[in-house]
Amino acid sequence: MKKITEQEAALPNSLPRPEGEEEQLLRIWYAPTGWRWFTAVNNTTVGLLYLGAAFVFFVLAGLVALVMRTQLAVPENHLVSQDLYNQLFTVHGTTMMFLFAVPAMEALGVLLLPQMLAARDLPFPRLSAFAIWAYIIGGGVFFSTIFYDLAPKGGWFMYPPLTLTEYSPGDNADFWLLGIGFIEISAIAGAIEIIVGILRTRPPGMSLDKLPIFGWSMLVFAGMIVVAFPAVILATMFLEIERSFSWPFFTAAGGGDPLLWQHLFWFFGHPEVYIIFLPAAGLVSMIVPTMARTPLVGYKLIVVALIATGFFSFGLWVHHMFATGIPSLSLAFFSAASMAVAVPSGIQVFAWIATIASAKGRFQLNTPSLFVLGMLFIFTVGGLTGVMVAMVPFDWQAHDTHFIVAHLHYVLVGGMVFPLFATFYYWAPMVSTRMLSERLGKWSFWLMFIGFNLTFLHMHITGLIGMPRRVWTYSEASGWGPYNFVSTVGAYIIGAGVLVFIIDMMRNFRVGKHGMSNPWQAGTLEWLPTDVYSTRSIPHVTSLEPLWDQPNLAEQVEAGQHYLPNAPTGWRETIVTSPIEAKPQYVIQMLGPGWMHFFAAVFTAACFLLLTIKVVVPALVCGVLAIVCFLVWAWELDKGPAKGPIDIGAGFKLPVYVTGPVGHGWWAMVILMLVAGSLYFAYLFSYLYTWTVSPGVWPSDAASLPRLQWPVVSAVLFIASAAFFAVAKGTLPEPGEKSLLTPLLVLLGALLGVFAVYMEIWCQWQTGLRPTESSYGALVYMAGVLDGELIFAVLIMSLFVIARHFTGKLDRVRFASLENTNLLIYYTVVQALIGLFMIHGFPRII
């Protein structure tokens, strides 16, 4: 590939500009309106909808919090019943953590990343749209349960045994388990989109050392979702299966252990704090240099700090379990890790302070700056109390008191909510024709800042004098009343600050065709002139602050004088670049508006929700309809190589179709395999953990295990399945030809995988082992469930591949669908072989 020179990057102003190019882009990238608005996939439309929905959930959760604070304002209050208070508590925490914090950050990724990368859109626009509709439907139904006495009551952490059927009958807990599990799946879909988008759709020249800090923070954020979220998905599967079918994963009488839930939940739950914080820190790292009119101090150190924070966060989950009786050595390790994670966070804080100081008095003190400074104070206090609770003796005293409530809110509100409001005021002009009001913005800040500290500073005191968490009411003799009353007043002041912001949005936020023209004089690409197609052309980037270092860049881009100034294939397109150096590799043809992703979200949500209330047959029908929608959607993804190569400008011609590790679809499948691998790792942890706590329910000798020939037969079938798929790829016909051998091999490979799973389950059943008898039996059959889910996906994908073959859309050149299916079966076989060794070999070894 020809190397892009600095001279070519400048692209002289005299380049000819064919008539009609901009009009063509407007037509192709047109965002639907009216009733067809539901089909829209433009990143601005989807991002604003996503962010708006997350903010609605924030307001709703805040209103729930006000009811709770009113209940606690005075001793022996009976504003709400204890049962309703437990529901309010659970819904508030769940909504803030699952329906607001992570979705809001993903929404900002969808909204801002294409603009920061000067890409026309993220690579899978319908995947983003699917995620948002799934989130809105699932989240809306979950929150509404509070109005029907169906909300869960076990806290946002849902600890067993309280949430087992014996103590939580009815469907309340099931709404949490299936609803939140479904929402987590949509979050993973968004994470895949973000990772591939950042690594593969950067503009030419934007190597990783020129990636905006927000891009780095979102890359770490999405990577942490891929690793952390599968653990809580597995935990919800365990608990829902135990509630529905009595498989004793957490019941001590059957060899289960309630602490297994805590390990799985907090392996997700503590990294989630940093999953929430890191994108917010990235936003602050974008705002501070602009307001200081100087480059960010310590860019490379901050990148290292972001990665280090993500890494350290996975060693902290037992930080929440110091009072559960775990061994002293474990306490020491996790205590040290809990304190060590403060170091990379501190690096970012000091970098911001140094950047502000380097402005030498020129730092602009406006509404975004105020929210950033408020964040610095509040988050620092939260970090200091975090170091305190990382010390085991202190944690034993403060555990489950209001001190922990205060610490949690200082970290989360300081580390995420204040940066989010700074983001609203800073980036609103990017999509709005009017700026938000400075006067109302400052009112909003001071009300929120004062109200927050009034609310939660006093909770440190109430915690230290003994007030436990999650109490519904308390006696007057406790002496907690005055502190709680002040906290309640502070909560209402926070609400007033949010209300002022809402009024400001209603008065001044107007989505415009172009937004405003860089009112902050920032240096990054999201402030280039844009329209529905994002930037008029895609620039060549040579520095971290292109708009500062290339003064004429905005005019050149708007004039269509850089790369891909038109739509040569007649479809929505953007340039795909190499993951490290951002060299142009090919042009991706993306899908436009459509109904299938919307209906897929509707039917998938309906399937989960109907399963929650045990309406099985309609749920299965909705599941089938969802699969059909996914297949129809996927049918359009592979447009083939017919229209390439195309001219993107400066004499570069790029293909429009690639396969293998260069292709964005290959990257998405690999990331999905990492998700599956993380989930299976959590399963293996559960398997070995249960053995350590309940060895008595495990087989005492090899005679009670299936004979070894059965796992050997299953292993051979799995390997043969993968081999059939590998051979099938080699038999692909030339374009325009057909071969019955290819579809036959694909079908046989899929069926062999199905039979291998059946053999493994059957051989266990023949020994008399039942999943309801013990935790060992439940975990053995769970391995078959996890393998069966993957094989079912492989079977559906195989039928899809066969259909494409017989319609002339699968050959030696156009085979992305078969390639992705092969990747999944290879992963499935590796997982199954590891499982066979653990299920049949480990009990024999011990």
Side-chain angles (χ1 to χ4, degrees), residues 123-124 127 192-193 195-197 199-200 576-577 579 585-586 588 637-638 657-675 729 797 815-827:
F124 306 103
L127 188 61
I192 293 172
E193 171 87 303
I195 292 173
V196 179
L199 293 178
R200 303 309 312 277
V576 175
T577 53
Q585 292 186 321
Y586 67 100
I588 176 178
L637 288 173
D638 187 352
Y657 187 83
V658 298
T659 54
V662 177
H664 59 286
W666 185 92
W667 280 67
M669 181 55 71
V670 169
I671 297 169
L672 184 61
M673 289 159 54
L674 291 175
V675 172
K729 185 177 178 181
M797 293 173 69
F815 58 85
S817 55
L818 177 59
E819 183 174 59
N820 288 334
T821 306
N822 283 13
L823 284 174
L824 186 58
I825 189 62
Y826 298 156
Y827 167 80

Side-chain angles (χ1 to χ4, degrees), residues 469-489:
R469 303 169 72 179
R470 309 166 200 138
V471 294
W472 162 60
T473 190
Y474 53 93
S475 69
E476 190 169 357
S478 64
W480 305 333
Y483 299 106
N484 277 293
F485 184 79
V486 173
S487 289
T488 300
V489 171

Side-chain angles (χ1 to χ4, degrees), residues 353-396:
I353 294 172
T355 305
I356 294 171
S358 66
K360 299 179 180 178
R362 292 180 289 111
F363 186 76
Q364 300 176 67
L365 202 61
N366 48 34
T367 301
S369 300
L370 285 174
F371 275 105
V372 166
L373 294 174
M375 173 263 190
L376 283 172
F377 173 80
I378 294 172
F379 181 74
T380 300
V381 172
L384 292 174
T385 56
V387 174
M388 293 172 66
V389 297
M391 295 184 288
V392 176
F394 181 84
D395 184 81
W396 282 345

Side-chain angles (χ1 to χ4, degrees), residues 755-779:
F755 193 53
V757 173
Y758 169 77
M759 287 290 293
E760 169 58 14
I761 295 174
W762 177 83
C763 78
Q764 296 290 350
W765 192 267
Q766 291 299 108
T767 65
L769 182 68
R770 298 294 182 266
T772 56
E773 293 176 354
S774 67
S775 58
Y776 170 76
L779 286 162

Side-chain angles (χ1 to χ4, degrees), residues 435-451:
M435 294 185 68
L436 298 182
S437 167
E438 274 292 305
R439 182 172 60 88
L440 291 177
K442 289 175 179 176
W443 269 100
S444 177
F445 166 75
W446 285 112
L447 287 169
M448 291 178 64
F449 183 78
I450 294 170

Side-chain angles (χ1 to χ4, degrees), residues 163-175:
T163 51
L164 296 177
T165 308
E166 181 181 358
Y167 303 104
S168 295
D171 296 327
N172 299 57
D174 300 302
F175 273 102

Side-chain angles (χ1 to χ4, degrees), residues 224-355:
M224 291 175 70
I225 286 177
V226 165
V227 176
F229 277 36
V232 76
I233 291 174
L234 181 71
T236 58
M237 290 173 65
F238 281 171
L239 187 50
E240 182 59 30
I241 289 173
E242 176 156 356
R243 286 177 56 85
S244 300
F245 305 109
S246 301
W247 295 19
F249 297 106
F250 306 113
T251 300
D257 187 2
L259 284 184
L260 174 60
W261 170 272
Q262 291 196 37
H263 281 291
L264 294 174
F265 184 85
W266 289 118
F267 184 79
F268 141 83
H270 200 91
E272 190 188 23
V273 173
Y274 298 96
I275 287 172
I276 294 166
F277 166 67
L278 289 182
L283 295 167
V284 171
S285 294
M286 301 289 289
I287 295 171
V288 167
T290 299
M291 298 309 171
R293 291 289 188 271
T294 184
L296 181 67
V297 173
Y299 168 87
K300 292 182 179 179
L301 264 179
I302 290 178
V303 171
V304 173
L306 290 169
I307 297 170
T309 301
F311 176 79
F312 279 127
S313 70
F314 286 101
L316 305 182
W317 80 89
V318 178
H319 173 93
H320 296 264
M321 302 171 62
F322 286 167
T324 59
I326 60 176
S328 298
L329 182 61
S330 297
L331 288 176
F333 171 81
F334 287 103
S335 177
S338 299
M339 287 184 271
V341 78
V343 175
S345 300
I347 288 173
Q348 296 177 76
V349 171
F350 283 113
W352 300 329
I353 294 172
T355 305

